């Protein structure tokens, strides 16, 4: 703490989430009705300032606690919001540690670029000011989430993220598809959040009781609350909960919440639809904010997860399955944003299974996961923004209506290619290092199935990414729109260039020195050079894509026909949505909801109606007493008083 | 039967019974008179007799206030109300027999209850030596403005507020709504 | 037995007046008549205060103050009642309380 | 406290102290109720005689004054300068037929004039005409006078109602409204003097003016109170320019349109005696009553003034104020109803309140002339 006492950025860390919030209020209430243009500028500037502050904070923090040293969690600012008991309080505050700094930097940085990009992208749209208002709110929610020092604040902002994503996905609220997509996203994540809430309450109850019995653990201040992360991640709590048999259920419940936000199988169905929002919003949701919230949550609670073991393993396999599953679907989709959405699912799967394979002693996976989060934020944002630029130019999402855009849009082409290479894991781009580390951690912890999936998906990723790259940018133009396409304006290309540069070099950061968990940073390098099969896998994917899609399109069509039914199943995304519909409509609605509705209508409402009916009838009967004659009432009153007097007299004397 | 014939006491007694008889008769006229104006006059008589009672009880100041406010103010107000709402020819219909019976029952029940209660209760009488303040008006005035323990300054203020509120309320209620937009005409 | 007025004589007198007032309140058809009967009630209550003050708490004058208050309240009440009667008469052309029964259930 | 029932007819020589009944007389009266009753009857008879004489005199004065204001002579035929005119009128009135309208409320019609005359009588007995001439000296005199004067208006209301005549009813209602309104101002100015004197008893109020009359010893406050009292009492008396309740040109005769003969003379008499009472009250409260003109501290001057008998002082002052009221009658035109109400509620009432407040300040700070 002392090292940072003089740091402006640390002392005013609350400004980082607060700036977008104030901007949200000011823009939404005062500027938006006056000037759309100013709204965009103010919103962008506020987030850019927050980004600047968070980078400053990162700089100060890592100067005070240099690479390799221990990175303590510090509370920069906090106030007591609710206090129930001595050990049951909810604070609102700003927690500064390496994890929150990482996410603050990523969120504010990507968000400010998205804001900047949006100024160009959204020009001329209806609701321009409203858009920036929502964007600010979204950024604020996400920042509030990552700086939360306790799980209840996390939960509050978690829901706020859900609300603001609902608003943004449904931004084109006149479009029925956008409306249903926003509802879908909200309901699915909300459904998952329910489990999260139960998990939170479970651990809070146990933690509170433990603290009432034994007092605060020695290393923590006396006024620590059962909700605080510092308390939840201490080993004593985990052991005790484990002994009670509650740790694994609680952690799995929390993981379900994380899976909802991070769109892990089977709660992934909202994410591909979420592209109904404006493309920069997709970039923000997919790259830096909403979907990584789940990863962040698991990372934040890594110690209890690790203590449970089982929960972590569940996370690992769910992640690995999502990773493969989404990658396979991505190979068949025609919508450029949909492909990118499935690639996001796949990459999130990587991050989650990397966390899953890690343990309290073997922590490489933790570092690798966050490293991938870090690099993925840049190239996925880049991919989406590039795709946005393309869509902006040709006004279609279907890749088969594009082609040959490389000449029309050189900057977009090059930046998109860099991102594609990065996500495919080609040296020296960022994705290579992080993905390599993930695969290595899976291998190093002897999870060979997951390791194999990781290797396979690396190839598939390269395949589908190059599929869309080749179809979109190379070859001949396949539609009229392409001929009219031209390069995007400056506000859109500048973010592309910045992100491209970062995608290229971000991998060289010695990430493990900064973000790690536990005592050792656990670089399980050496031994077998994992990067060779990983790279080979990626390159072979690129080669297959090149073979199939470069040149004429005959081969791809032939392949499609030959795969037949399998292709159709994959193209229909394994009919997951249909299964959901079937389950909800045919089973849940018919056998659970309908009886409940009947019960509600007939028994509950009927009871209320009966009360009302009885009251009305009773009123009708008693209203006969209401003659409207004041003197009748007075007679009752006088005789009543006399009766009371007589009664008092009889009973008192 | 032992009738003491202390002359001062006798005049007192005669005055009491005369006034009592007058006031009871007048009160009966108040509640039964078919011509409402006669009831008002009877009410004035009852109230004047009330002032007489107060004088018999040595509260001459209260008697003065009674005459001033009740007879001079309230009765005249009531007479006004009569004049505004009925005419000389309007003779009140007698109440229905049931209502009459009910009223008679209620009032007699009250009378019986109260009289029985009085006869059963031992009231703590003040000692013979206790003297009433010489100048009741002065004592009442001091008590009304006394803000210490046992003072009545708060009720006094409340009463003044009540009067103000009732005056304003009366104006608002009685004002002809059709004429409210006219200028300064009264 | 003495005929000279004592506490009980006074109390019975005021009670009789009060009972007559009750009868009037309950049976009078004219609203002004009801108001007059209420004045009877108030008057006998004030009288009771003075009676008790005279016979039961001689050195104090709190009863007299209460009587004063009752007179003041009666004045306020008469003012309001008269305004109400005028307003009612204006809209319904009658002050017969048995006709004023719009509150009938 | 029953002493007011018997009265305090005092028959001793003039001194400046209030002379009460001697102890022996008081004892005699207390011991023998028949004596006391006789005494009371005697007092009442005296008052009644005084009442009628005074009334006739006032009527004569009124007519003469009016005539001279209009540059004519007035009654000249009966007696010297028409001195006996009032007697002739009285005889005429007494012999007139007493008409009761067919559809009138007989009972009320008959008792209405009695109400008026009783109120007047009750007011009259309180006036201290000289140290020895005061029928009753109540310790709540001021309140009592205000109270009984309202009986008079009750009589007027009764008369107006029971006549079953539109003019009468209108006149009565005007009288009632006027009386209730102006009663407030009268009481407020009475309270000013009560504050100054520290007593409600009329004899004590007169005593308190030994060093100077309240009209000038009380600075401007006393003067203002005096004028407010004068205006408001003129209005209460239904005299011009406030004679709306009986305005001949509008209501033919107001509340007494239907009255004739003796009953009419009751109203007539009551009206004039009321004027006398108002004047006498003004003289008593503001001009020192029977108290001679004194200036605090100037003993020689005061002694000189004492040579004039107090009864004369009282008569002089009262006559002066009566003259004032008559003067006003022939000087100002009659007000409209709305002007009348506006004068009271928007002018006299605020002035009265401010004046009372000023009086309270004056009393607390003892800022009179001769504050001993």
């Amino acid at each position: 703490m002392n090292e940072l006492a003089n740091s402006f950025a640390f002392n005013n860390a609350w400004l980082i989430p607060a700036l977008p919030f104030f901007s949200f209020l000011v823009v939404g209430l005062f500027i938006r009705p006056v000037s759309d243009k100013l709204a965009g500028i103010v919103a962008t500037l506020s987030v850019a300032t927050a980004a600047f502050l968070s980078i400053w904070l990162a700089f100060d923090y890592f100067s005070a606690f240099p690479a390799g040293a221990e990175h303590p969690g510090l509370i920069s600012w906090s106030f007591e919001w609710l206090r129930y008991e001595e050990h049951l309080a909810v604070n609102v505050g700003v927690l500064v540690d390496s994890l929150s700094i990482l996410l603050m930097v990523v969120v504010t940085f990507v968000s400010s670029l998205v804001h900047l990009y949006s100024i160009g992208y959204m020009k001329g749209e209806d609701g321009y000011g409203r858009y920036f208002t929502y964007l600010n709110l979204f950024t604020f929610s996400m920042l509030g989430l990552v700086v939360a020092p306790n799980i209840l604040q996390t939960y509050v902002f978690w829901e706020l993220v859900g609300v603001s994503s609902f608003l943004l996905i449904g931004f084109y609220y006149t479009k029925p598809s956008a409306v249903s997509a926003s509802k879908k996203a909200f309901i699915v994540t909300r459904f998952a959040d329910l489990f999260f809430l139960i998990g939170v309450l479970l651990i809070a109850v146990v933690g509170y009781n433990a603290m009432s019995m034994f007092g605060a653990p020695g290393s923590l201040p006396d006024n620590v609350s059962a909700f605080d992360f510092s308390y939840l991640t201490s080993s004593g709590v985990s052991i005790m909960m484990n002994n009670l048999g509650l740790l694994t259920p609680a952690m799995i419940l929390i993981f379900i919440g994380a899976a909802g936000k991070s769109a892990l199988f089977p709660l992934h169905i909202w994410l591909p639809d979420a592209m109904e929002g404006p493309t920069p919003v997709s970039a923000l949701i997919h790259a830096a904010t909403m979907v990584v919230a789940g990863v962040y949550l698991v990372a934040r609670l890594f110690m209890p997860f690790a203590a449970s073991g089982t929960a972590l393993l569940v996370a690992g396999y769910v992640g690995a399955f999502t990773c493969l599953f989404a990658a396979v679907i991505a190979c068949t989709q025609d919508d450029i944003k949909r492909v990118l959405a499935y690639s996001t699912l796949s990459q999130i799967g990587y991050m989650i299974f990397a966390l899953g394979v890690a343990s309290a002693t073997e922590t490489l996976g933790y570092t690798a996961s966050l490293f991938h989060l870090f690099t993925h934020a840049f190239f996925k944002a880049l991919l989406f923004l590039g795709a946005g630029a393309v869509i902006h130019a040709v006004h279609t999402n279907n890749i088969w209506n594009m082609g040959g855009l490389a000449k029309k849009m050189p900057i977009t082409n090059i930046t998109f290619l860099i991102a594609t290479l990065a996500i495919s894991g080609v040296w020296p781009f960022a994705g290579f290092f992080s993905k390599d580390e993930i695969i290595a951690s899976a291998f190093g912890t002897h999870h060979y199935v997951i390791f194999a999936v990781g290797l396979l998906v690396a190839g598939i990723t390269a395949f589908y990414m190059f599929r869309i790259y080749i179809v979109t940018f190379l070859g001949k133009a396949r539609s009229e729109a392409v001929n009219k396409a031209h390069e995007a304006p400056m506000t859109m290309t500048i973010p592309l260039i910045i992100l491209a540069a970062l995608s290229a070099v971000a991998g060289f950061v010695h990430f493990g020195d900064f973000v790690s968990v536990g005592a050792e940073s656990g670089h399980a390098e050496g031994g077998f050079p994992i990067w060779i099969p990983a790279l080979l896998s990626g390159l072979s994917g690129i080669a297959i894509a090149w073979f199939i899609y470069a040149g004429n399109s005959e081969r791809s069509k032939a392949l499609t026909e030959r795969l037949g039914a399998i292709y159709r199943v994959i193209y229909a995304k394994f009919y997951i949505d249909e299964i959901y519909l079937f389950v909800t409509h045919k089973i849940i609605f018919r056998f659970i909801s309908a009886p409940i509705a009947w019960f509600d209508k007939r028994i509950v409402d009927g009871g209320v109606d009966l009360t009302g009916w009885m009251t009305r009838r009773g009123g009708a009967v008693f209203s006969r007493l209401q003659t409207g004659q004041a003197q009748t009432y007075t007679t009752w009153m006088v005789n009543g008083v006399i009766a009371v007097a007589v009664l008092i007299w009889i009973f008192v004397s | 039967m032992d009738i003491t014939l202390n002359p001062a006491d006798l005049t007192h007694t005669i005055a009491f019974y005369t006034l009592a008889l007058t006031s009871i008769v007048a009160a009966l006229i108040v509640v039964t008179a078919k011509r409402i104006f006669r009831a008002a006059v009877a009410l004035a008589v009852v109230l004047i007799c009330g002032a007489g009672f107060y004088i018999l009880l040595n509260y001459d100041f209260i008697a003065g206030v009674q005459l001033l406010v009740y007879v001079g103010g309230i009765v005249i107000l009531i007479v006004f109300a009569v004049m505004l709402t009925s005419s000389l020819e309007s003779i009140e219909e007698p109440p229905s027999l049931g209502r009459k019976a009910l009223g008679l029952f209620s009032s007699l029940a009250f009378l019986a209850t109260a009289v029985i209660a009085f006869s059963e209760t031992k009231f703590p009488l003040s000692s013979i030596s206790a003297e009433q303040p010489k100048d009741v008006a002065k004592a009442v005035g001091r008590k009304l403005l006394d803000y210490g323990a046992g003072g009545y300054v708060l009720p006094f203020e409340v009463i003044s507020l009540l009067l103000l509120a009732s005056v304003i309320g009366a104006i608002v209620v009685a004002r002809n709504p059709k004429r409210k937009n006219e200028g300064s005409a009264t | 037995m003495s005929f000279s007025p004592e506490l009980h004589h006074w109390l019975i007198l005021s009670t009789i007046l009060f009972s007559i007032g009750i009868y009037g309140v309950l049976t009078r058809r004219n609203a002004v008549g009801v108001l007059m009967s209420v004045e009877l009630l108030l008057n006998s209550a004030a009288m009771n205060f003075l009676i008790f003050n005279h016979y039961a708490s001689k050195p104090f004058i709190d009863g007299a103050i209460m009587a004063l208050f009752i007179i003041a309240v009666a004045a306020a009440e008469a003012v309001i009642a008269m305004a109400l009667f005028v307003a009612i008469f204006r809209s319904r052309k009658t002050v017969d309380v048995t006709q004023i029964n719009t509150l009938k259930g | 406290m029953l002493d007011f029932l018997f009265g305090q007819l005092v028959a001793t020589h003039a001194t400046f102290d209030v002379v009460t009944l001697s102890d022996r007389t008081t004892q005699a009266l207390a011991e023998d109720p028949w004596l006391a009753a006789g005494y009371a009857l005697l007092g009442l008879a005296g008052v009644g005689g005084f009442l009628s004489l005074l009334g006739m005199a006032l009527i004569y004065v009124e007519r003469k004054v009016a005539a001279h204001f209009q540059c004519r002579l007035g009654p000249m035929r009966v007696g010297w300068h028409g001195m006996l005119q009032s007697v002739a009128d009285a005889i005429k009135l007494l012999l007139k037929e007493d008409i009761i309208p067919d559809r009138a409320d007989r009972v009320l019609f008959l008792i209405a004039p009695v109400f008026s005359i009783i109120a007047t009588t009750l007011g009259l007995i309180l006036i201290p005409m000289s140290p020895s001439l005061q029928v009753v000296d109540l310790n709540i005199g001021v309140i009592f006078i205000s109270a009984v004067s309202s009986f008079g208006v009750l009589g007027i209301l009764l008369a107006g109602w029971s006549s079953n005549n539109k003019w009468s009813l209108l006149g009565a209602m005007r009288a009632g409204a006027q009386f209730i309104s102006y009663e407030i101002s009268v009481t407020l100015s009475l309270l000013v003097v009560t504050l100054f004197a520290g007593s409600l008893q009329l004899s004590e109020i007169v005593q308190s003016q030994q060093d100077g009359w309240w009209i000038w010893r009380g600075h401007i406050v006393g003067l203002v109170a005096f004028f407010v009292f004068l205006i408001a009492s003129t209005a209460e008396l239904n005299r011009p320019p406030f004679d709306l309740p009986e305005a001949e040109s509008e209501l033919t005769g107001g509340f007494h349109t239907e009255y004739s003969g003796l009953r009419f003379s009751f109203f007539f008499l009551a009206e004039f005696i009321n004027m006398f009472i108002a004047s006498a009250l003004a003289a008593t409260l503001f001009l020192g009553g029977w108290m001679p003109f004194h200036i605090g501290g100037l003993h020689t001057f005061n002694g000189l003034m004492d040579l004039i008998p107090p009864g004369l002082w009282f008569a002089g002052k009262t006559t002066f104020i009566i003259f004032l009221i008559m003067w006003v009658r022939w000087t100002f035109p009659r007000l409209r109803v709305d002007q009348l109400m506006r004068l009271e509620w928007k002018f006299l009432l605020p002035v009265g309140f401010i004046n009372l407040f000023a009086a309270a300040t004056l009393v607390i700070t003892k800022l009179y002339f001769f504050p001993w």
Side-chain angles (χ1 to χ4, degrees), chain C residues 4-24:
Chain C
S4 57
E6 287 299 326
L7 176 60
H8 288 122
H9 299 87
W10 283 102
L11 286 178
I12 288 167
L13 169 67
S14 73
T15 310
I16 289 173
L17 288 178
F18 197 90
S19 302
I20 294 172
I22 286 178
Y23 178 77

Side-chain angles (χ1 to χ4, degrees), chain C residues 25-37:
Chain C
V25 169
L26 296 186
T27 56
R28 264 294 190 194
R29 295 189 72 150
N30 192 322
V32 187
V34 176
L35 174 67
M36 289 186 216
S37 308

Side-chain angles (χ1 to χ4, degrees), chain D residues 203-348:
Chain D
S203 58
E204 275 187 28
I205 290 173
V206 174
Q207 279 295 308
S208 71
Q209 304 183 64
Q210 190 141 27
D211 292 325
W213 304 345
W214 287 122
I215 190 172
W216 62 284
R217 203 182 145 205
H219 293 285
I220 301 161
V221 176
L223 199 63
V224 170
F226 174 72
F227 278 113
V228 169
F229 181 82
L230 211 58
I231 295 169
S233 352
T234 313
E236 265 192 39
L237 295 170
N238 300 334
R239 283 189 62 85
F242 305 105
D243 62 338
L244 291 154
E246 45 195 292
E248 303 88 351
S249 47
E250 300 170 24
L251 301 175
T252 63
F255 58 89
H256 54 61
T257 306
E258 300 286 356
Y259 280 88
S260 60
L262 185 64
R263 294 179 197 285
F264 172 74
S265 74
F266 272 16
F267 280 121
F268 208 53
L269 198 59
E271 208 165 287
F272 277 94
I273 302 298
N274 277 339
M275 180 168 71
F276 172 78
I277 292 173
S279 310
L281 204 58
T284 307
L285 293 172
F286 295 99
L287 302 179
W290 48 258
M291 190 65 75
F293 184 67
H294 282 180
I295 295 174
L298 297 183
H299 296 293
T300 324
F301 175 77
N302 294 350
L304 210 61
M305 285 290 155
D306 287 349
L307 289 178
I308 303 171
L312 217 54
W313 275 109
F314 175 80
K317 290 168 189 175
T318 309
T319 313
F320 168 68
I321 292 173
I322 288 174
F323 177 73
L324 261 185
I325 291 175
M326 288 179 177
W327 189 4
V328 165
R329 172 173 187 168
W330 300 111
T331 310
F332 292 105
R334 184 187 294 144
L335 269 69
R336 274 202 324 263
V337 175
D338 62 316
Q339 287 169 333
L340 181 88
M341 286 297 158
R342 198 178 304 160
L343 174 71
E344 163 60 16
W345 293 102
K346 293 191 174 171
F347 179 70
L348 284 186

